[in-house]
């Protein structure tokens, strides 16, 4: 396996980690909305925060590395810029969702922001698979 193959594999693993953590946070938010106890769910949220951090950092670092390493791709390609903008939107909304979830009465706002983050990640995945304009 070449170095590029390894970077692709690590980029994909980071993307899987990110999506898995988003799903975990949906489970936590829905459990809280249905009356689940916050202390019982805080351990799951802590693990989710670590995994989402790994996913966010890994997708960005390895994605940029790939854009620079693979002939025919450049950071200024439209689909890569779109992915970076959506990455910023998704991570920003996710960060705000985490902060809102810790505020008294902030669960509803957190769920809306988490929804925005989830849609942004879904759009990044669509962008990465079909690479419009590439």
């Amino acid at each position: 396996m070449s170095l590029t193959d390894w970077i692709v594999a690590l980029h994909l693993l980071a993307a899987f980690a990110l999506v898995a953590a988003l799903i975990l946070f949906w489970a936590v938010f829905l459990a809280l909305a249905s009356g689940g106890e916050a202390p019982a769910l805080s351990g799951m949220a802590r693990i989710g925060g670590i995994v989402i951090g790994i996913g966010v950092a890994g997708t960005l670092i390895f994605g940029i590395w790939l854009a620079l390493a693979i002939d025919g791709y450049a950071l200024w390609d439209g689909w890569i810029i779109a992915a970076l903008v959506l990455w910023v939107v998704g991570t920003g909304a996710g960060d705000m969702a985490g902060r809102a979830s810790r505020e008294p009465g902030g669960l509803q706002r957190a769920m809306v922001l988490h929804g925005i983050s989830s849609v942004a990640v879904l759009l990044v995945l669509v962008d990465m698979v079909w690479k419009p304009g590439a």
Side-chain angles (χ1 to χ4, degrees), residues 95-116:
D95 182 58
M96 290 189 300
R99 293 174 196 272
S101 70
R102 292 186 289 275
E103 297 171 0
L107 182 60
Q108 188 68 28
R109 182 169 180 259
M111 290 178 73
V112 169
L113 289 164
H114 188 65
I116 293 168

Side-chain angles (χ1 to χ4, degrees), residues 32-60:
L32 287 171
S34 66
E37 295 184 25
L41 297 168
S42 67
M44 284 179 59
R46 210 171 304 119
I47 291 169
I50 293 167
V51 174
I52 217 159
I54 292 167
V56 162
T59 55
L60 181 66

Side-chain angles (χ1 to χ4, degrees), residues 63-79:
I64 289 173
W65 189 337
L66 287 169
L68 296 172
I70 295 177
D71 289 336
Y73 293 159
L75 282 178
W76 53 86
D77 289 346
W79 67 275

